[in-house]
Amino acid sequence: MKMNEGVEWALHSCVNLCWLPEQAVPAAKLAAFYNLPAAYLNKQLQALTRAGILSSTPGPKGGFQLARFPEQISVLDIVVAIDGPDEAFRCSEILRDGPGGNATTDYRKTCLISQTMRTAELNWRRELAAATIADIVAKVERTFPATPENTRRWFEGLRT
Amino acid sequence: MKMNEGVEWALHSCVNLCWLPEQAVPAAKLAAFYNLPAAYLNKQLQALTRAGILSSTPGPKGGFQLARFPEQISVLDIVVAIDGPDEAFRCSEILRDGPGGNATTDYRKTCLISQTMRTAELNWRRELAAATIADIVAKVERTFPATPENTRRWFEGLRT
DNA sequence: GTCATAGTACTCGGATAATCGTTGTCCGAGTACGTTTGG
DNA sequence: CCAAACGTACTCGGACAACGATTATCCGAGTACTATGAC
């Protein structure tokens, strides 16, 4: 079980975009900040755009920027946008193929093993849905007060 | 993010083994119960054996059986045995490659994004660690009282 | 001097390979049982 | 009749392929800016 690596990149990029409001940042610059492969990060940002988390503008002075307020972007939103909506544990309803299996019943709901795995994963999703980008940004600014200004300056410096 | 499919098979097989105590059940029979590929299920049962969850005996009248009491086998134990111990979200510490990155600090602990993902996943693990095979068996017996006897009879019938 | 126009550089976007992990299969090592053979 | 040895069938165990998803890369469509030339 391995989550798509792009989730980490997307989360960090969204946090950085919070500190660069009112401007579009190209994928190449966001990638250069962490020395990431630019083309691949671009692919992830495209997924965020399709999900309505970012908005993109092509051409010179173009790039990506947040499409919503940070308070309205949950960590789960980004995970789903990059990693897909499917659950990790997928009940294949093997009880149906066993003796006494019924073709009509939905074993995803009746099977107690499925229920156990499902509720655990649902709570995981709930926790990630409660955490917003704004929360993370606030914690970073409280823990490392210099980070926002440093980040802003780094991107400004690259701009020249 | 997709969990190994064998986890579901392993969980169901362990529950079935609870109803067949004092005897070794070969992988082929456990697979036939759900029409699963026998050789591949065997592979998963091997992993459970390596983890100390099952004990195996080769030769005629051989097979697998629980190595511990069902109360001492958590769902997490089985997940870890089959799917591996690695976490789904793996912080690659990209902050180190960014400006102001330090080579000595452990960003898995300081990075707030990593913390958020980590605690959510830790809670997920905690929940699965609290659920034992005995719990699931008890719930099944309470919800479907006929299942244990039916299962036992099915395996006995195949034995002839 | 001013405006229109052509050119250029830059950006996203999707289509296209390479790599890794999961899925699936196979054959060999070892064990217990049944059978046979000698005493 | 009894016991020991042999052969056979069955099981796990790990090594070996096939498939699919993730990872990575590249080129084309479109846009805004810039430079140039005509009026």
Side-chain angles (χ1 to χ4, degrees), chain B residues 26-27 42-43 46 50 56-60 63-64:
Chain B
N42 186 26
K43 193 187 181 74
Q46 283 175 35
R50 273 193 295 270
S56 65
T57 54
F64 294 92

Side-chain angles (χ1 to χ4, degrees), chain B:
Chain B
M1 187 174 57
K2 181 173 162 232
M3 179 173 288
N4 194 313
E5 194 179 0
V7 171
E8 186 184 5
W9 306 354
L11 287 168
H12 278 278
S13 295
C14 284
V15 169
N16 281 342
L17 283 174
C18 285
W19 294 321
L20 303 167
E22 310 289 334
Q23 58 178 305
V25 185
K29 288 181 185 170
L30 286 170
F33 193 76
Y34 295 119
N35 285 319
L36 299 176
Y40 191 31
L41 177 63
N42 186 26
K43 193 187 181 74
Q44 317 294 354
L45 298 178
Q46 283 175 35
L48 294 182
T49 304
R50 273 193 295 270
I53 296 169
L54 299 184
S55 70
S56 65
T57 54
K61 294 284 176 187
F64 294 92
Q65 52 190 328
L66 294 181
R68 309 184 218 152
F69 294 111
E71 299 85 18
Q72 295 173 352
I73 302 173
S74 72
V75 174
L76 182 64
D77 290 334
I78 294 175
V79 169
V80 169
I82 303 285
D83 206 54
D86 293 341
E87 301 189 6
F89 180 88
R90 295 167 208 179
C91 177
S92 63
E93 307 188 61
I94 63 178
L95 285 176
R96 176 170 299 147
D97 299 331
N102 192 322
T104 61
T105 55
D106 183 0
Y107 286 98
R108 260 174 290 237
K109 293 182 180 172
T110 58
C111 172
L112 290 159
I113 289 175
S114 177
Q115 282 183 24
T116 302
M117 301 299 290
R118 201 180 188 79
T119 52
E121 196 162 338
L122 199 65
N123 286 337
W124 175 77
R125 284 181 128 77
R126 236 192 285 274
E127 189 166 345
L128 292 187
T132 69
I133 294 295
D135 294 335
I136 291 179
V137 168
K139 281 182 193 168
V140 173
E141 293 179 349
R142 193 154 7 103
T143 315
F144 308 102
T147 298
E149 189 55 28
N150 286 345
T151 303
R152 215 164 349 230
R153 222 182 318 244
W154 187 92
F155 277 97
E156 295 291 334
L158 198 70
R159 174 164 293 264
T160 54

Side-chain angles (χ1 to χ4, degrees), chain A residues 69-100:
Chain A
F69 293 111
E71 299 85 20
Q72 296 173 352
I73 302 173
S74 73
V75 175
L76 182 63
D77 290 334
I78 294 174
V79 170
V80 168
I82 303 285
D83 206 53
D86 294 341
E87 301 187 7
F89 180 88
R90 295 166 208 181
C91 177
S92 62
E93 306 188 62
I94 63 177
L95 286 176
R96 176 169 300 146
D97 299 331

Side-chain angles (χ1 to χ4, degrees), chain A residues 22-44:
Chain A
E22 310 289 333
Q23 58 177 304
V25 184
K29 288 180 184 171
L30 285 170
F33 192 77
Y34 295 119
N35 285 320
L36 299 176
Y40 191 32
L41 177 64
N42 187 26
K43 192 186 183 73
Q44 318 293 355

